Amino acid sequence: MQNGRMDIMKKRSLKKFAAGAALLLALGLLAGCGGEKQEAGSKAQLNVGIVQLVEHSALDAANKGFVDGLADKGFKENENIAFDRQNAQADQSNLQNIAHRFVNNKVDLICAIATPAAQVMANATKDIPIVATAVTDYEAAKLVVSNEKPGANVTGTSDMNPIKEQVDLLLKIVPDAKTIGTIYCSSEVNSQMQVEIMKKAAAERGVNVVEATVSTVNDIQQAAQSLVGKVDVVYVPTDNVLASSIPTLVSVTDNAGLAVICGEEGQVKAGGLAALGIDYYQLGKETGEMAAQILKGEAKPAEMAIQTQKQFKTVVNEAGAKRLGITIPQDVLQNAEVVK
């Protein structure tokens, strides 16, 4: 009798085990099916990393333009493309961490906004396509073999400004200027290049240049003060450190009665007097269109020439002119966007 009971209990245990095994197998199959669907979905959706050096209006505009440029070419967020947006806050270690993140996550493409960001990304990977923007000269930054034929995994758009024409604008607004003061970050190769071009253009027009350099935004006030009494007007290139803190600069120059002529419109909207420069939103949009070609397999970065803008616009700060008691010439105003 006892043996019979034991046989019955064994049979019941075997049945429970079999039922449990069947349940586990079913769940495993379901999980497997779900995993396959997720993998297929992830393959269908492209992943793009966007790294921006620092937050300011020009780079923000380029960032938005990049996303819109991709959308115009059929790559729309939450449909067939996902963006991993990162901002390095002008910190080199942050850039390194972001680069490692993108490489480890095996993103399909990287958009690098500003030269330092592009340089760190380029050093981190030779395989992932990198499309950069807000870089003045790719050759000088050692990002490409040549601007006409990059030769590796980096291409993009240049924010080279019409610097000679900017000097002409400066002299139209401050015609009696004999000495131009300029402030820029000593570690930004693009800023150095712009200032060298500006110095040559100024010399051709019989105007002297006094330089002041900064390392961080904390140096701007002191650098600006060092120019007071030595210069007649201040020129600021498209420098990321300066662009982040134009109000700090203007707080010094306004008190000294010095006009600030800028490299781009965002600096004017932040307090500078005038600028003749590129449209960073449009620049970013062109970058997005280049990225779309790469993602579609229509082009390779190594063979895509660096793109530059050919049209520029003048922006004038009306309130700034009133504060300084400066009358903007009519021939400047008639073709300018006026910031109230």
Side-chain angles (χ1 to χ4, degrees), residues 86-107:
Q86 299 293 324
N87 192 308
Q89 301 299 336
D91 186 278
Q92 192 73 11
S93 62
N94 287 344
L95 283 175
Q96 297 287 350
N97 291 334
I98 293 166
H100 291 150
R101 174 190 177 94
F102 289 166
V103 172
N104 290 339
N105 290 343
K106 297 179 181 179
V107 297

Side-chain angles (χ1 to χ4, degrees), residues 118-153:
Q119 289 171 323
V120 172
M121 298 303 123
N123 287 332
T125 177
K126 304 300 178 187
D127 300 317
I128 300 172
I130 298 170
V131 181
T133 189
V135 175
T136 304
D137 192 308
Y138 286 70
E139 284 186 42
K142 298 181 179 179
L143 290 166
V144 299
V145 175
S146 74
N147 291 326
E148 291 73 29
K149 194 167 184 178
N153 63 320

Side-chain angles (χ1 to χ4, degrees), residues 51-115:
V51 54
Q52 183 172 320
L53 175 65
V54 68
E55 185 177 353
H56 64 71
S57 60
L59 301 190
D60 293 347
N63 195 326
K64 185 177 187 305
F66 174 74
V67 174
D68 290 350
L70 276 169
D72 285 352
K73 295 300 180 181
F75 294 100
K76 298 183 179 180
E77 189 170 14
N78 299 323
E79 290 185 16
N80 58 355
I81 194 167
F83 296 108
D84 183 355
R85 294 176 171 88
Q86 299 293 324
N87 192 308
Q89 301 299 336
D91 186 278
Q92 192 73 11
S93 62
N94 287 344
L95 283 175
Q96 297 287 350
N97 291 334
I98 293 166
H100 291 150
R101 174 190 177 94
F102 289 166
V103 172
N104 290 339
N105 290 343
K106 297 179 181 179
V107 297
D108 297 292
L109 181 141
I110 295 171
C111 173
I113 305 175
T115 303

Side-chain angles (χ1 to χ4, degrees), residues 243-308:
S244 302
S245 297
I246 288 295
T248 301
L249 171 64
V250 172
S251 68
V252 176
T253 55
D254 270 6
N255 286 336
L258 294 172
V260 176
I261 308 301
C262 309
E264 55 91 13
E265 66 173 300
Q267 295 170 331
V268 175
K269 292 176 179 178
L273 179 61
L276 172 65
I278 65 171
D279 183 331
Y280 274 87
Y281 172 80
Q282 187 60 37
L283 192 74
K285 197 169 184 182
E286 291 167 6
T287 312
E289 292 168 357
M290 293 178 74
Q293 286 184 278
I294 294 169
L295 293 172
K296 289 179 180 179
E298 297 173 353
K300 296 179 179 179
E303 300 166 0
M304 300 178 77
I306 304 304
Q307 301 297 306
T308 58

Side-chain angles (χ1 to χ4, degrees), residues 20 24 69 99 124 126 132 161 170 176 184 195 208 296 333:
L24 287 172
K126 304 300 178 187
N161 281 290
L170 180 152
D176 296 329
Y184 62 96
V195 169
N208 298 317
K296 289 179 180 179
L333 284 175

Side-chain angles (χ1 to χ4, degrees), residues 9-44:
M9 290 176 67
K10 283 181 181 179
K11 287 179 181 178
R12 287 177 178 174
S13 296
L14 286 170
K15 284 181 180 179
K16 287 181 179 179
F17 176 78
L23 179 61
L24 287 172
L25 179 61
L27 289 172
L29 287 171
L30 286 171
C33 291
E36 286 175 7
K37 287 180 181 178
Q38 187 175 4
E39 185 180 356
S42 64
K43 286 180 180 177

